[in-house]
Amino acid sequence: MSLGISPQVLNLLLEAQRKEITEYYVYLYLAEKIKGEESEKIRAIGEDEFKHYEKIKGITKREIKPSFFKIFLYKTIIKIFGIVFGLKLMEKGEELSEKTYDILEKHFEDFKDIRKEEKEHEMRLISFIKEERLKYLGSMVLGTSDALVELTGALAGLTFALRNSLLIVVAGFITGFSAALSMAGSEYLSVKAERIGDRNPLKSAVYTGFMYIAVVLILLLPYLILKNPFISLFFSLVFSFIIISLFTFYISVVYDEDYKERFFEMFLIILVVSFLSFLIGFLLREVLFGNLSNID
């Protein structure tokens, strides 16, 4: 049956229709996950998504199934990384459809209201959803970034100075563990003194120390598996790159920051520190501790 709609516009309508019904089921999942007053607010937003679906169906005259893959994907992301991150990520996905809405608004007046409500939904949700992990995200960033910079630099220096994987692991773990305790203690005193928001000083310290130790163990892993310390250093740098990529992406999504700028800033710092530490390790070995070559 001809609807008087071009094939291109019809495909865009069906794309928008699938998006609305998919998000409807995501919001239903969130409504079940969160209890209390927030649950009803989320359910109401989900009902708005279903109304959008029905409006578009009135134009296309078709029933469209949701994207079960996207529903599963967002459920998984929300379970692992939290509600705000999941919603922000979904919001960024919607930005890819802005051109679609531009075209549809020219053909159908209803899409102006739909587009406006879509933008309001995420802002309303994020305003009343409170997650502990976001409250202490600053402490997690502190522990992760410091561990990446300090231990990557230390491993570069130790690798050239000692050239023995077992010694590097022992020295690296002692260095990392001591630094983690120091960072945790400093964060505890800092939060307690500054009374930052409603953050608990002890929890802030735990988040900082835990992230620091986690990064230390990941970066030391190659030295426990591989015999060649220089190959181990290479893989530690690769792991650093992966950690920076993932953590920077998480922060950029949650805080709406520029991913590339934050990533390259962090990566450049690590490269510079690693190079200088590697140089210091070379000088120490060649100038001060030449006899260490017998340890190999």
Side-chain angles (χ1 to χ4, degrees):
M1 179 176 64
S2 176
L3 299 173
I5 303 172
S6 69
Q8 179 192 13
V9 173
L10 179 59
N11 287 334
L12 293 177
L13 282 168
L14 295 174
E15 176 189 331
Q17 191 176 347
R18 186 183 300 277
K19 183 179 77 70
E20 300 295 345
I21 194 63
T22 298
E23 292 178 6
Y24 166 70
Y25 283 106
V26 173
Y27 285 126
L28 285 188
Y29 165 76
L30 288 177
E32 294 174 0
K33 184 178 178 65
I34 298 177
K35 306 300 180 184
E37 183 181 349
E38 288 79 9
S39 176
E40 294 305 314
K41 292 179 180 179
I42 293 174
R43 195 177 298 277
I45 292 176
E47 293 300 326
D48 284 345
E49 299 288 350
F50 189 75
K51 289 176 183 176
H52 296 166
Y53 167 81
E54 289 290 325
K55 280 184 178 180
I56 303 173
K57 188 178 76 170
I59 301 172
T60 63
K61 310 300 181 184
R62 295 188 187 182
E63 290 280 357
I64 296 293
K65 291 182 178 181
S67 171
F68 293 106
F69 171 75
K70 285 189 176 181
I71 293 173
F72 171 77
L73 178 64
Y74 285 123
K75 281 184 177 180
T76 304
I77 290 172
I78 288 169
K79 285 180 181 177
I80 298 174
F81 300 105
I83 296 172
V84 172
F85 177 79
L87 292 178
K88 288 275 192 176
L89 198 62
M90 192 162 68
E91 180 184 343
K92 284 185 175 292
E94 288 176 3
E95 289 175 2
L96 300 176
S97 301
E98 290 296 305
K99 291 183 180 180
T100 298
Y101 280 105
D102 287 338
I103 296 172
L104 293 177
E105 281 181 12
K106 294 177 181 178
H107 293 81
F108 309 99
E109 190 70 23
D110 283 348
F111 271 90
K112 291 184 179 179
D113 295 332
I114 291 176
R115 190 180 199 175
K116 182 180 178 181
E117 289 180 1
E118 287 287 346
K119 290 185 176 181
E120 290 175 352
H121 284 170
E122 274 65 49
M123 297 306 298
R124 283 163 53 194
L125 274 167
I126 293 167
S127 68
F128 64 74
I129 292 177
K130 307 298 180 184
E131 288 187 288
E132 181 175 281
R133 74 182 74 193
L134 295 184
K135 188 192 305 183
Y136 296 99
L137 186 56
S139 298
M140 296 166 68
V141 171
L142 179 65
T144 303
S145 59
D146 274 36
L148 284 169
V149 174
E150 292 172 9
L151 193 69
T152 303
L155 287 177
L158 289 170
T159 297
F160 211 98
L162 301 179
R163 300 185 186 182
N164 182 289
S165 293
L166 182 59
L167 290 178
I168 293 169
V169 169
V170 173
F173 183 77
I174 293 173
T175 301
F177 188 76
S178 300
L181 293 178
S182 176
M183 287 298 303
S186 297
E187 180 71 352
Y188 174 86
L189 294 174
S190 175
V191 174
K192 187 174 183 179
E194 296 180 18
R195 302 182 184 277
I196 304 173
D198 58 346
R199 287 167 58 189
N200 182 294
L202 182 58
K203 283 188 176 181
S204 297
V206 170
Y207 274 105
T208 300
F210 175 80
M211 294 304 295
Y212 201 111
I213 287 294
V215 172
V216 167
L217 294 177
I218 292 171
L219 297 186
L220 287 177
L221 186 61
Y223 291 91
L224 291 170
I225 299 174
L226 304 172
K227 291 183 179 180
N228 189 311
F230 293 99
I231 296 177
S232 298
L233 176 62
F234 170 77
F235 279 104
S236 287
L237 292 174
V238 170
F239 288 167
S240 295
F241 178 86
I242 294 172
I243 294 171
I244 295 170
S245 300
L246 295 176
F247 205 67
T248 302
F249 178 70
Y250 183 89
I251 294 170
S252 65
V253 169
V254 170
Y255 289 139
D256 292 318
E257 294 181 352
D258 183 78
Y259 171 78
K260 291 181 180 179
E261 182 180 346
R262 176 178 277 269
F263 171 81
F264 284 114
E265 179 184 45
M266 186 69 180
F267 190 63
L268 181 61
I269 291 172
I270 286 179
L271 281 180
V272 172
V273 170
S274 297
F275 173 75
L276 292 176
S277 300
F278 199 88
L279 185 61
I280 290 172
F282 172 78
L283 293 175
L284 285 174
R285 183 178 179 88
E286 296 299 320
V287 178
L288 300 177
F289 301 107
N291 291 331
L292 282 177
S293 58
N294 297 325
I295 298 177
D296 295 349

